[in-house]
């Protein structure tokens, strides 16, 4: 949550993550509109596992089926 607040300029900078916030600020400048918000841990774990799986795969994979219930729950939170 602290990173979200820092990226949205809601709190003062902390030295430990200043480089990350600076990079986020640079990326934000390339968009007309952008929203940065906290993502519940359950959704982040799922996204992390999908990203790890994609990095390990050497082939193109497309999800064509109905998403699992835990994926739909994450999307319904927003």
């Amino acid at each position: 949550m602290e990173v979200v607040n820092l990226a949205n300029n809601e709190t003062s900078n902390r030295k430990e993550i200043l480089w990350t916030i600076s990079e986020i600020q640079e990326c934000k400048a390339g968009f007309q509109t952008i929203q940065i918000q906290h993502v519940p841990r359950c959704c982040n774990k799922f996204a992390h596992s999908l990203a790890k799986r994609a990095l390990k795969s050497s082939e193109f994979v497309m999800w064509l089926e109905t998403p699992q219930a835990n994926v739909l729950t994450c999307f319904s939170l927003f």
Side-chain angles (χ1 to χ4, degrees):
M1 191 65 132
E2 181 178 2
V3 173
V4 172
N5 291 337
L6 288 169
N8 286 322
N9 298 318
E10 295 175 3
T11 60
S12 61
N13 292 333
R14 291 184 41 143
K15 292 180 181 180
E16 304 88 48
I17 58 174
L18 181 60
W19 62 273
T20 303
I21 299 305
S22 296
E23 189 173 330
I24 291 169
Q25 296 295 341
E26 287 177 26
C27 290
K28 281 174 54 176
F31 294 92
Q32 286 183 330
T33 60
I34 187 168
Q35 182 181 8
I36 299 173
Q37 63 186 38
H38 178 260
V39 175
R41 186 177 300 269
C42 67
C43 298
N44 192 42
K45 283 182 180 180
F46 188 76
H48 182 72
S49 66
L50 284 176
K52 281 177 43 177
R53 184 175 179 185
L55 288 172
K56 291 178 182 179
S57 177
S58 60
E59 60 185 79
F60 180 78
V61 179
M62 185 181 299
W63 192 346
L64 299 174
E65 302 164 0
T66 303
Q68 298 173 350
N70 57 342
V71 175
L72 292 174
T73 300
C74 287
F75 287 125
S76 68
L77 294 173
F78 301 102

